[in-house]
Amino acid sequence: MELPPLKTLPVFEAVARLRSFSLAAQELHVSQSAVSHQIRQLEGFLGETLFHRAGRQIRLTDEGAQYYEQIGSALGQIRRATQQLQGQQDSQIRLAAYSSFAVSWLIPRMEELQRQHPQLDLDLEMLSDLPRMSDRVGDCFIAINPKQRGYSSELLYSEKMFPVCSRRYWQQICRDLQEQGLITEPEPEQLQPGHLKQYTLLSATSIFEKKNEDWRRWLARASLTISPATRIQHFSHMLLAHEAARHHQGIALSNDYMFDSGDAELVRLPCHILDTGDEFHFAYKTSRRHEPAIRLLKQWLITQAVQSGLRSP
């Protein structure tokens, strides 16, 4: 089958990636009219419209997005193969990760990554919800339960949730429960889960995508239900509930990557844990598994997960 005009492909990739004819022209050091001409030539050859144009705004059509998925990957492989043949190593890598994991666990460790591997140029993309994994989104991903054809992964963390609150809020809980005769020690080593229902529970819908579901499941683990009198404050994301707990507004459900045992402001309550069934993995294209940057980042993440207690050695 006849190949498309090869000089049009890098132009198409740049426009699709940057979502702009003018930015693509600047990157390629050509005029905007030259970019437009190359795109028209490619569309004419394919017999498909690749972009929707509305003034200065452009977006890929469904056919354009499908084509970009393949062309972007192919051009990336050509670039990397050329660099390897020339004895160069591509140290640039794009990592897409969930915002809570990135903010709470990854970003605090990035200084150590830069110290250990200064040659690695990491671009971090934070995601609220992981789309279909592809080269368009990132070179690698921190994803929950990834099962996508053509991708391999390494387990970093099996999520377990437990209640936390501010130290001030915890001290108030202990005083209340002592006055009610429910505990005898100033700070008990074990707390009955049902005692928490008289306090404000901070619920994050992002965990199970349903209001109250996080606390419903946690209480059900102890054969309890949410009482009608229990006050529940709702948040869209775990990060928000976690911060509300830090500011003495109630009790939130946290996990190992968000909770820092050395944090003097937050207390992990002495109660049971809930295994959510979610597993966080470092995922990457199987065909790219031997690339130095991906191998280096994978090993560093595994090492950090083990050292921080997220993953067993």
Side-chain angles (χ1 to χ4, degrees):
M1 183 177 178
E2 185 182 357
L3 291 172
L6 296 182
K7 63 182 179 180
T8 66
L9 299 182
V11 177
F12 167 71
E13 187 277 336
V15 174
R17 171 167 44 83
L18 299 170
R19 299 292 195 273
S20 169
F21 281 73
S22 59
L23 292 178
Q26 293 175 25
E27 181 176 288
L28 298 170
H29 305 291
V30 297
S31 67
Q32 187 170 333
S33 62
V35 169
S36 299
H37 173 74
Q38 295 290 344
I39 296 300
R40 286 196 301 270
Q41 185 180 4
L42 181 59
E43 289 178 326
F45 176 86
L46 297 172
E48 299 284 355
T49 300
L50 300 174
F51 296 97
H52 289 300
R53 300 164 176 84
R56 295 184 179 181
Q57 303 296 317
I58 67 167
R59 61 182 178 87
L60 288 161
T61 62
D62 291 342
E63 295 78 11
Q66 182 179 1
Y67 196 56
Y68 176 50
E69 178 76 27
Q70 302 297 324
I71 292 301
S73 178
L75 289 175
Q77 289 180 349
I78 292 170
R79 173 178 56 81
R80 290 187 292 273
T82 302
Q83 289 175 330
Q84 290 176 6
L85 190 62
Q86 293 175 334
Q88 302 174 9
Q89 287 192 0
D90 186 2
S91 61
Q92 291 186 331
I93 189 168
R94 297 167 298 149
L95 173 62
Y98 288 105
S99 53
S100 58
F101 191 91
V103 169
S104 301
W105 189 85
L106 182 57
I107 289 178
R109 289 169 170 78
M110 287 185 65
E111 183 179 4
E112 179 67 15
L113 174 63
Q114 294 167 1
R115 187 188 66 79
Q116 291 184 19
H117 306 290
Q119 78 280 19
L120 192 65
D121 184 5
L122 178 65
D123 288 341
L124 182 60
E125 179 75 22
M126 291 196 298
L127 304 170
S128 58
D129 186 31
L130 191 70
R132 186 177 184 274
M133 293 184 294
S134 76
D135 286 337
R136 288 192 296 123
V137 179
D139 299 306
C140 47
F141 303 82
I142 294 177
I144 295 177
N145 305 331
K147 294 178 181 177
Q148 187 170 312
R149 186 177 179 181
Y151 278 78
S152 299
S153 67
E154 292 284 346
L155 175 66
L156 297 177
Y157 172 57
S158 297
E159 186 176 45
K160 295 175 176 59
M161 304 198 72
F162 44 82
V164 301
C165 67
S166 70
R167 183 161 298 280
R168 188 175 85 185
Y169 203 85
W170 168 239
Q171 291 169 347
Q172 183 61 54
I173 289 174
C174 293
R175 286 194 295 268
D176 291 346
L177 296 180
Q178 274 192 301
E179 290 176 3
Q180 297 169 32
L182 296 175
I183 61 173
T184 57
E185 311 123 280
E187 292 194 8
E189 295 184 0
Q190 191 66 34
L191 192 65
Q192 293 298 318
H195 295 341
L196 303 190
K197 295 197 292 181
Q198 61 181 289
Y199 298 95
T200 299
L201 304 181
L202 309 173
S203 176
T205 55
S206 63
I207 303 172
F208 297 110
E209 300 182 351
K210 186 178 179 182
K211 280 190 174 182
N212 302 345
E213 186 66 11
D214 50 352
W215 279 105
R216 187 196 70 77
R217 293 196 191 193
W218 187 85
L219 287 167
R221 179 74 173 74
S223 301
L224 297 170
T225 59
I226 297 174
S227 302
T230 300
R231 182 176 185 272
I232 301 181
Q233 176 68 52
H234 297 103
F235 297 89
S236 63
H237 200 281
M238 281 181 67
L239 284 171
L240 299 177
H242 207 263
E243 281 304 298
R246 183 182 296 279
H247 288 85
H248 327 298
Q249 295 173 26
I251 306 168
L253 287 171
S254 186
N255 59 28
D256 293 296
Y257 70 75
M258 292 191 68
F259 178 75
D260 181 358
S261 59
D263 188 341
E265 298 300 319
L266 279 180
V267 175
R268 175 174 174 172
L269 275 60
C271 298
H272 67 271
I273 63 172
L274 171 66
D275 189 339
T276 68
D278 284 341
E279 292 184 344
F280 288 72
H281 290 248
F282 175 68
Y284 49 92
K285 267 192 174 178
T286 304
S287 61
R288 300 182 61 182
R289 64 190 181 278
H290 296 306
E291 291 181 18
I294 288 180
R295 293 176 63 183
L296 186 153
L297 182 59
K298 177 181 73 172
Q299 189 54 55
W300 182 83
L301 285 168
I302 291 173
T303 300
Q304 291 295 311
V306 170
Q307 290 179 351
S308 64
L310 295 188
R311 168 178 160 151
S312 299

